[in-house]
Amino acid sequence: MVFLIVSDLHSNVESLQEFIRLSKKIPHDKVICLGDIVGYNANPNEVVDWVRENTDLALAGNHDYAVVEKTDTSYFNSYALKACEWTREALTMENFKYLQSLPAMEKKYRITWAHSSPYEPEEWHYITNPYDGVDNFPAFDTQLCFVGHTHRPLILKQEPDGNIEAGLSEEYEVKPDSRYIINVGSLGQPRDGNPQASFVSYDTETRLLKFHRFDYDMEATQEKIHDEGLPTFLADRLAAGV
Ligand code: ZN
């Protein structure tokens, strides 16, 4: 089975449209969305509509729960908060209820999927280094767990002796005797210094994991941020990839 896995779409319909175009060239069976469907950018309804109609599993992230008032926003910076309030006004009632209905973590297809972390999934912990694996590997019982949330691609591997390593390569063959937490990066607002949108494909037969990056019409996304009166910083950070 081949999975295409996206996360942190953040209302960016231009990167989503380019993903849709690219996905047609990659034979696949399932499309998974790891949450943060909305927030930051200016097309929440278009992106939620697509997720509702085209994914085989969708999770909610902290921004989705913030918009539908299922998590507190006291730790949000002012840009995120402004976008959250704008999104709450912009969302249709149907999409609002859909976001409310999504879980933050789920086990399906013998894989664990979480927005932020399998350990305390609604505390929105960041997984960025091997030390974060200490709490997180015991928190799920499958070989693989895919996450988003940091907007930075990452492979965390736990070897049979318990040793945990962090790494990343464009193509990676999953070892049968190790366990993994894999961050797929962000479709709508990458933050690893590369402004190209990110998603992952995983083939359970070949065990091949591929990190895909692509350009999209970012100027259009930025223009909409300006037109809607959202913070200019949100347009600038798309270009910087931070
Ligand atoms: Zn996010």
Side-chain angles (χ1 to χ4, degrees):
M1 193 182 286
V2 177
F3 293 99
L4 297 187
I5 309 149
V6 299
S7 191
D8 299 274
L9 295 75
H10 284 299
S11 304
N12 186 336
V13 79
E14 287 75 25
S15 68
L16 176 60
Q17 281 161 349
E18 188 60 21
F19 166 76
I20 294 166
R21 206 180 63 76
L22 292 170
S23 70
K24 290 184 177 143
K25 298 181 198 162
I26 308 171
H28 62 277
D29 304 290
K30 304 286 178 197
V31 179
I32 311 289
C33 168
L34 299 179
D36 272 6
I37 302 164
V38 301
Y40 294 127
N41 297 300
N43 285 101
N45 286 308
E46 291 80 354
V47 175
V48 177
D49 285 344
W50 180 84
V51 170
R52 288 174 55 193
E53 286 155 23
N54 296 283
T55 60
D56 298 282
L57 170 66
L59 304 180
N62 50 320
H63 286 258
D64 305 317
Y65 275 3
V67 165
V68 301
E69 295 172 317
K70 274 182 80 169
T71 192
D72 90 295
T73 52
S74 56
Y75 65 95
F76 269 36
N77 64 42
S78 61
Y79 311 110
L81 199 59
K82 180 97 196 284
C84 175
E85 285 160 0
W86 179 90
T87 303
R88 194 177 292 139
E89 292 298 310
L91 270 186
T92 64
M93 186 50 73
E94 200 178 11
N95 284 338
F96 188 94
K97 284 182 180 159
Y98 174 72
L99 294 182
Q100 258 181 339
S101 75
L102 298 177
M105 174 163 141
E106 191 139 314
K107 187 161 81 173
K108 196 172 181 183
Y109 311 118
R110 300 169 70 191
I111 292 173
T112 302
W113 315 91
H115 176 68
S116 61
S117 60
Y119 172 68
E120 298 182 338
E122 292 187 35
E123 294 298 320
W124 318 115
H125 300 296
Y126 290 96
I127 299 176
T128 60
N129 62 61
Y131 301 104
D132 297 325
V134 175
D135 284 335
N136 278 288
F137 278 108
F140 64 102
D141 61 4
T142 54
Q143 185 195 10
L144 302 180
C145 175
F146 286 91
V147 299
H149 192 47
T150 65
H151 299 206
R152 295 170 183 212
L154 180 74
I155 300 172
L156 216 58
K157 174 171 76 161
Q158 185 185 43
E159 292 168 335
D161 66 1
N163 181 50
I164 301 170
E165 284 176 4
L168 187 64
S169 56
E170 213 178 299
E171 291 200 10
Y172 179 85
E173 194 184 320
V174 166
K175 311 287 178 288
D177 59 351
S178 292
R179 298 180 72 220
Y180 294 88
I181 296 171
I182 298 141
N183 192 310
V184 303
S186 170
L187 204 68
Q189 194 199 73
R191 291 182 194 158
D192 60 341
N194 176 359
Q196 291 182 304
S198 174
F199 71 98
V200 159
S201 59
Y202 178 61
D203 185 333
T204 57
E205 301 294 316
T206 62
R207 299 184 158 271
L208 203 61
L209 195 60
K210 284 189 197 173
F211 289 83
H212 304 259
R213 303 300 292 259
F214 64 88
D215 294 314
Y216 64 94
D217 187 2
M218 184 189 297
E219 287 74 21
T221 316
Q222 292 174 312
E223 210 174 299
K224 289 176 186 173
I225 289 171
H226 298 311
D227 289 350
E228 293 297 340
L230 288 162
T232 301
F233 170 74
L234 297 177
D236 296 343
R237 74 185 300 179
L238 285 178
V242 294

